[in-house]
C-alpha cells in the first residue's frame, strides 16, 4: 500500500509511534525512526524491523523540542531516502498539575514537543512535497485536542493547537497534492499512560485500578483502552493514495469519549 514511499515518524521508539512505524514498514515504506531510549535497544529494534520488512529503516535521535535538531532530522531523512512523502507528528509528553501550580518549564516543554515540533518538521519537508506534488501529513493529537480534562492545561492547549495547525496546512497545501489530517486517540495503554496511572493515583489519592475505571475510561463509552494496531491501521490509510480527498480532518478514535 505504501511501496516506494518514505516516512518520518517522530517519537517512534515506543507506544503509538512505534506501532505506526512498524505498520508503515510492513506496508512497504522506508521509515525514519525517532525518539529516546537505550541506544542498544533502539538499534536492535531498527535492525529487526529492517530484516522483517525489507525496507530501509533508519534512526535519528533528534530532540523534538529543538528546532535545529528537527531540521537536521528532515535533512537526514532526505539524504537517506531521497525524498520524504509521509510525516507523522507523533512525539509527545504529558504533565499533569493544577494550572496555578503548573511549572513554567514544563508548560514550554509540552508546547514545544507536542505542537511546535510539528510546525518545524512540516516547514522543513513541505518544499520537497510541493516539488513532487505528493505529501501526507499525519498528526497524532488526542481526544484532548477536541475536549478538556482538568490539570492538563498545556497538553490540551497543545493538542487543540495541533489540530489548528493541521487544518491551516491542509487549506494551504490542498492544491499541491498534500493532505494533513489529525488522529485523536482516546486512552491507549502505552508507557505514557502507565506513568499517568501512577501519577494520578497519587494526585487523587486512589488506587491505580480506580484511576483506570473512574478517571481514564469513565468517558470512553466502550470502556476499553484503544489498541495501538487500530491507530496504526488508520495512519496507514491516511498515508495511502486512497485518502487523497481527506484533508484537514480531526478523526476521533476514542471509544465514544468525545460523543458526550
Ligand atoms: P510514549 O511515551 O509511549 O512514546 C512517546 C515517544 O515520544 C517515545 O518514543 C519518546 O522517546 C518520544 N519522545 C518524547 N519526548 C521526545 C523528544 N523531546 N524528542 C523526540 N522524541 C521524544 O507515548 P504514546 O502514548 O505512544 O504517545 C504518542 C503520542 O500519542 C503522543 O503525542 C501522545 O500525546 C499521543 N496520545 C497518546 C494517548 C495514550 O493514551 N497513550 C492518547 C492520546 C494521544
Amino acid at each position: 500500500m505504501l511501496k516506494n514511499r518514505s516516512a518520518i515518524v517522530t517519537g517512534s521508539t515506543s507506544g503509538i509511534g512505534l506501532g505506526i512505524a512498524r505498520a508503515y514498514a510492513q506496508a512497504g515504506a522506508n521509515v525514519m525512526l525517532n525518539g529516546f531510549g537505550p541506544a542498544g535497544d533502539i538499534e536492535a529494534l531498527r535492525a529487526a524491523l529492517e530484516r522483517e520488512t525489507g525496507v530501509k529503516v533508519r534512526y535519528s535521535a533528534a530532540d523534538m523540542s529543538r528546532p535545529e535538531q528537527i531540521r537536521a532530522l528532515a535533512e537526514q531523512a532526505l539524504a537517506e531516502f531521497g525524498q520524504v512523502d509521509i510525516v507523522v507528528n507523533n512525539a509527545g509528553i504529558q504533565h499533569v498539575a493544577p494550572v496555578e501550580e503548573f511549572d513554567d518549564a514544563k508548560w514550554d516543554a509540552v508546547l514545544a514537543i507536542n505542537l511546535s515540533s510539528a510546525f518545524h518538521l512540516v516547514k522543513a519537508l513541505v518544499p520537497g512535497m510541493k516539488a513532487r506534488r505528493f505529501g501526507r501529513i499525519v498528526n497524532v493529537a488526542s481526544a484532548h485536542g477536541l475536549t478538556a480534562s482538568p490539570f492538563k492545561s498545556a497538553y490540551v492547549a497543545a493538542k487543540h493547537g495541533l489540530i489548528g495547525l493541521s487544518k491551516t496546512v491542509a487549506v494551504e497545501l490542498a492544491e499541491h497534492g498534500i493532505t494533513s489530517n489529525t488522529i485523536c486517540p482516546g486512552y491507549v495503554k502505552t508507557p505514557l499512560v502507565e506513568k499517568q496511572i501512577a501519577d494520578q493515583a497519587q494526585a487523587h489519592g486512589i488506587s491505580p485500578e480506580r484511576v483506570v475505571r473512574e478517571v481514564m475510561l469513565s468517558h470512553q463509552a466502550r470502556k476499553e483502552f484503544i489498541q495501538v494496531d487500530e491507530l496504526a491501521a488508520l495512519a496507514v490509510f491516511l498515508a495511502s493514495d486512497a485518502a487523497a480527498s481527506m484533508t484537514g480532518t480531526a478523526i476521533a478514535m476514542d471509544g465514544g469519549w468525545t460523543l458526550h
Side-chain angles (χ1 to χ4, degrees), residues 10-18 34-37 42 60-66 69 89-94 109 113-114 140-144 155 159 162 183-194 196 216 220 225-226 228 231 257:
T10 70
S12 49
T13 53
S14 166
I16 296 167
L18 176 56
N34 159 256
F36 300 148
I42 294 172
S60 159
D63 180 339
M64 300 307 287
S65 68
R66 305 279 298 276
Q69 294 191 25
N89 294 304
N90 166 79
I93 59 165
Q94 175 64 281
I113 296 164
N114 294 43
V140 180
S142 166
H144 282 122
Y155 188 82
K159 295 301 192 182
L162 186 58
I183 300 174
C184 299
Y187 280 104
V188 191
K189 209 168 182 189
T190 64
L192 181 141
V193 162
E194 304 269 12
Q196 272 187 68
M216 294 190 160
Q220 289 187 202
F225 282 106
I226 313 303
V228 168
L231 295 164
W257 174 351

Side-chain angles (χ1 to χ4, degrees), residues 51-195:
R51 204 170 47 243
E52 285 159 20
T53 59
V55 299
K56 282 188 194 170
V57 181
R58 299 291 182 268
Y59 166 69
S60 159
D63 180 339
M64 300 307 287
S65 68
R66 305 279 298 276
E68 73 285 1
Q69 294 191 25
I70 296 170
R71 286 189 282 276
L73 161 66
E75 277 161 26
Q76 185 188 339
L78 288 167
E80 294 275 7
F81 304 144
Q83 65 196 65
V84 177
D85 311 286
I86 306 161
V87 57
V88 182
N89 294 304
N90 166 79
I93 59 165
Q94 175 64 281
H95 182 70
V96 179
V99 69
E100 71 275 24
E101 293 168 18
F102 211 96
D103 182 75
D104 292 356
K106 291 277 194 218
W107 169 274
D108 289 344
V110 172
L111 268 288
I113 296 164
N114 294 43
L115 174 58
S116 300
S117 68
F119 159 72
H120 293 296
L121 193 52
V122 164
K123 184 177 173 183
L125 293 171
V126 158
M129 290 177 170
K130 267 187 169 173
R132 289 189 315 284
R133 297 199 56 77
F134 183 91
R136 293 286 186 267
I137 300 164
V138 178
N139 303 292
V140 180
S142 166
H144 282 122
L146 302 167
T147 190
S149 293
F151 313 126
K152 296 187 175 176
S153 52
Y155 188 82
V156 171
K159 295 301 192 182
H160 276 69
L162 186 58
I163 293 175
L165 171 68
S166 179
K167 287 161 80 169
T168 307
V169 165
V171 288
E172 272 183 42
L173 300 173
E175 290 184 82
H176 296 272
I178 301 169
T179 68
S180 179
N181 292 285
T182 307
I183 300 174
C184 299
Y187 280 104
V188 191
K189 209 168 182 189
T190 64
L192 181 141
V193 162
E194 304 269 12
K195 181 175 177 301

